[in-house]
Amino acid sequence: MQKPSEMGRHCSLTDTVANHYLQKMYGHRPAEMSAVLLSGLPPAIDVGNHPDAGSIRRYDKKVISNMIAEELLRSANPAAAKFLQKSNSGRRHLDYKRLQDLLDGGVFKATSFDATRIDVVGFDWEAPGFDRNWWWQLQPLPFLEWYRNSYEIQSDEEKLKYYKTCRDAIIWWKNTASCNEKSPLAWHDHTVAYRLKNIANWLLFCHLNELGSDNDAADDALANILVQHFDWLKEDDHYSRHTNHGFDQAMMGLVAALMYSAPAFQEYRTLNRKRLKDEVEFAFTTEGVHKENSPGYQKTMTRRLRQLKTLSIFGESELVDLGERYMASAEEFLSTITLPNGLLPMVGDTRGGDVGLPYIQKKKIDICDYTASGYVIVRGTVLGQDFHLLFKNSHLSHYHRHDDDLSIHLYFGGHVFLGDGGLGSHNETDERRKLLRSCLSHNAPYIIDQDSIRVPSYLNGFMPSTRIIGSRIVGESYSYGIALRREVDLEKLIDGIITLRDTAPQSKGSVVASNFYSSIDCVQDHNCLHFGTEGARKIRLSVTDDTVIKRERTFHSAEFGKFTEASAISLSRRQGPKKNNVEVTLALF
């Protein structure tokens, strides 16, 4: 926390919040601080050495504009009220409970985390010991949306009480987090967009419900916080172009700017409209496949396409039509990749238990060709059982990227026999997270003692390619710096037999290995690996006698932040002329 003398130089507080802060921390409020506490703006923050640098951008006060609340709210777009009504989440009772827990009980429950005691008007915005994702959920000030969503079922007393607490909490955040370089993710590219959305929605909602006229200084401070977020996001250095973050920045920035017709907001509308069009056209391939390497994000971003329809309220027909152009193919791919049990495969940064879309089977075996995007899905009935095989060889973005080029994901008879390790968490310094992203937590070939390339531009134009040749899926990847090839032979699939051939045709001394990962118990019998238990469906992997079988330690994470140890099986031929060639026969029972 900053001392009052330091805070007064550049932070502003309402009288209510200032008294609360100084009495809480120091037991008094010096009279000489009255003027300075109601003036000034947060200083510049240099985050170059911050542990979150790369996700947090520099906050520069020179871009801040001044805005009078009355001027802003007078410019409210008549269509905004209809938009707010349609954008209500429908979780009014849940959000009412969350709001009461936090504002009355001082308890904040972030998704996937234990409940935490905090006071939103007095919280230490640099408090140690909290996970990065926990901060990601708190920094957007979600209670503003909880207030709006549950307003109709609040008592008259609660409406006013909660309004004032929310208002004071925003000002408290402004003066103890926005100007504090040690506040985690305060100026993270994504949290800023969500906080802009929440403040813009809440501020206008309160205006429409005739709240906020008792404290002009606080209202003006709120208006300036809104403009501060617009100005920060408009800077190119703060814009995460061609990512799901950039999509949300543009979408939320445009909607917030459309809600107010103030002439000063025209630049925000123009810029974010242009950015959003570019984001939509980049985010999905012509086959409707989202580029960020995970079925979970396919689902999330397909939902974003649906949200573009709400822009019709503001007359944004071009963006609505653009969303419609991609919607059908995006939903079709989402249903195709969904497992027969209705869940998404836990590929990339997809969480366990995520529900997909139902798929309509066309034939006994459907071979779904998405090779232009790096995917092939084979699904139907094999040996009288549900079957789903995913082949992935796509490197269109480094976001949520795992070392999984040429990988397979196998579901058979109600079980995922060959799956992925999962997300784990977003803490990229966690060794468990590193293992989950590595080849050891996927069913993919790799080059021994060679690091994988995760940024597409570092491939120097050698992008992965996938083809269907007769009964074979043939993929080629350069993610290890040389051509690595996998063939998936489905000629005998009707009999439950799949053959995998992994090679590095032009390697000079490199050793190819094939990794197999499963959360199901594996038993080795000479040159065979058995996955499954007696009396249940099983699969068997068979290799040649000269194949070296090695167990590797890794992890499995079906729930965010929860890890269990798991084993991977690495197969290679380390000696002789065939060390760049591994062949595996996979039999279903």
Side-chain angles (χ1 to χ4, degrees), residues 512-530:
V512 175
S514 301
N515 191 75
F516 289 91
Y517 174 93
S518 179
S519 58
I520 294 177
D521 290 338
C522 173
V523 176
Q524 182 179 345
D525 178 15
H526 188 48
N527 63 341
C528 294
L529 299 167
H530 300 270

Side-chain angles (χ1 to χ4, degrees), residues 328-342:
S329 57
E331 289 185 335
E332 182 180 0
F333 180 72
L334 184 59
S335 69
T336 303
I337 208 169
T338 299
L339 300 174
N341 63 5

Side-chain angles (χ1 to χ4, degrees), residues 448 509-513 544-549 571-582:
I448 292 177
S510 299
V511 179
V512 175
T544 56
D545 289 338
D546 61 342
T547 301
V548 177
I549 301 175
L571 311 176
S572 63
R573 288 161 147 176
R574 292 179 177 267
Q575 303 297 328
K578 294 185 178 180
K579 63 182 179 181
N580 64 350
N581 184 318
V582 177

Side-chain angles (χ1 to χ4, degrees), residues 160-323:
L160 183 59
K161 178 180 68 171
Y162 292 156
Y163 160 75
K164 290 181 177 179
T165 304
C166 286
R167 179 195 66 191
D168 291 348
I170 300 172
I171 305 298
W172 178 261
W173 173 89
K174 178 182 186 294
N175 293 282
T176 60
S178 74
C179 52
N180 186 349
E181 66 179 30
K182 294 181 180 179
S183 181
L185 305 190
W187 294 101
H188 179 272
D189 58 346
H190 217 184
T191 60
V192 174
Y194 275 96
R195 192 167 53 240
L196 169 65
K197 173 182 77 73
N198 291 343
I199 293 175
N201 287 353
W202 181 85
L203 188 61
L204 185 57
F205 178 83
C206 292
H207 168 67
L208 294 173
N209 285 278
E210 300 181 346
L211 295 162
S213 59
D214 66 327
N215 192 325
D216 290 342
D219 290 347
D220 289 346
L222 295 175
N224 276 288
I225 292 171
L226 188 66
V227 175
Q228 165 188 339
H229 281 64
F230 275 123
D231 282 344
W232 190 92
L233 284 170
K234 79 178 182 181
E235 298 298 305
D236 286 340
D237 286 347
H238 303 161
Y239 171 43
S240 300
R241 185 170 180 258
H242 289 171
T243 68
N244 72 84
H245 294 198
F247 189 110
D248 285 345
Q249 286 178 312
M251 176 74 170
M252 294 172 186
L254 175 60
V255 170
L258 287 168
M259 292 172 69
Y260 303 93
S261 58
F265 282 15
Q266 182 58 43
E267 66 169 319
Y268 308 138
R269 290 188 284 272
T270 300
L271 175 64
N272 285 302
R273 186 181 291 116
K274 178 181 177 182
R275 284 178 174 178
L276 184 55
K277 181 177 183 292
D278 181 52
E279 290 295 334
V280 175
E281 292 175 337
F282 176 83
F284 293 87
T285 70
T286 56
E287 296 176 324
V289 177
H290 185 247
K291 296 179 180 178
E292 291 187 11
N293 305 297
S294 306
Y297 281 88
Q298 178 77 27
K299 176 181 176 178
T300 296
M301 298 309 293
T302 299
R303 188 163 55 237
R304 293 288 191 272
L305 289 179
R306 295 192 197 103
Q307 290 172 354
L308 290 175
K309 293 181 180 180
T310 62
L311 295 179
S312 62
I313 294 172
F314 298 109
E316 296 289 330
S317 58
E318 183 180 359
L319 284 167
V320 173
D321 292 345
L322 184 61

Side-chain angles (χ1 to χ4, degrees), residues 240-246 279 282-285 289-294 297 301 348-349 373-375 392-405 437 452-459 463-464 479:
S240 300
R241 185 170 180 258
H242 289 171
T243 68
N244 72 84
H245 294 198
E279 290 295 334
F282 176 83
F284 293 87
T285 70
V289 177
H290 185 247
K291 296 179 180 178
E292 291 187 11
N293 305 297
S294 306
Y297 281 88
M301 298 309 293
D349 279 351
S373 306
Y375 292 83
K392 181 179 184 293
N393 188 33
S394 181
H395 198 164
L396 301 171
S397 170
H398 70 279
Y399 262 54
H400 306 285
R401 166 75 181 174
H402 289 216
D403 301 335
D404 59 356
D405 273 5
R437 293 184 70 188
S452 177
I453 299 169
R454 290 182 178 167
V455 180
S457 60
Y458 294 173
L459 295 171
M463 302 301 291
S479 61

Side-chain angles (χ1 to χ4, degrees), residues 15 43-44 50 57 79 103 142 147 168 186 198 208 227 289 344-346 368 370 395 444 460 480 492 524 542 560:
D15 286 338
H50 194 281
R57 307 297 197 268
L103 302 194
Y147 177 84
D168 291 348
N198 291 343
L208 294 173
V227 175
V289 177
L344 294 176
M346 213 167 66
C368 307
Y370 289 88
H395 198 164
N460 297 319
Y480 290 93
K492 298 180 181 179
Q524 182 179 345
S542 303
F560 185 88

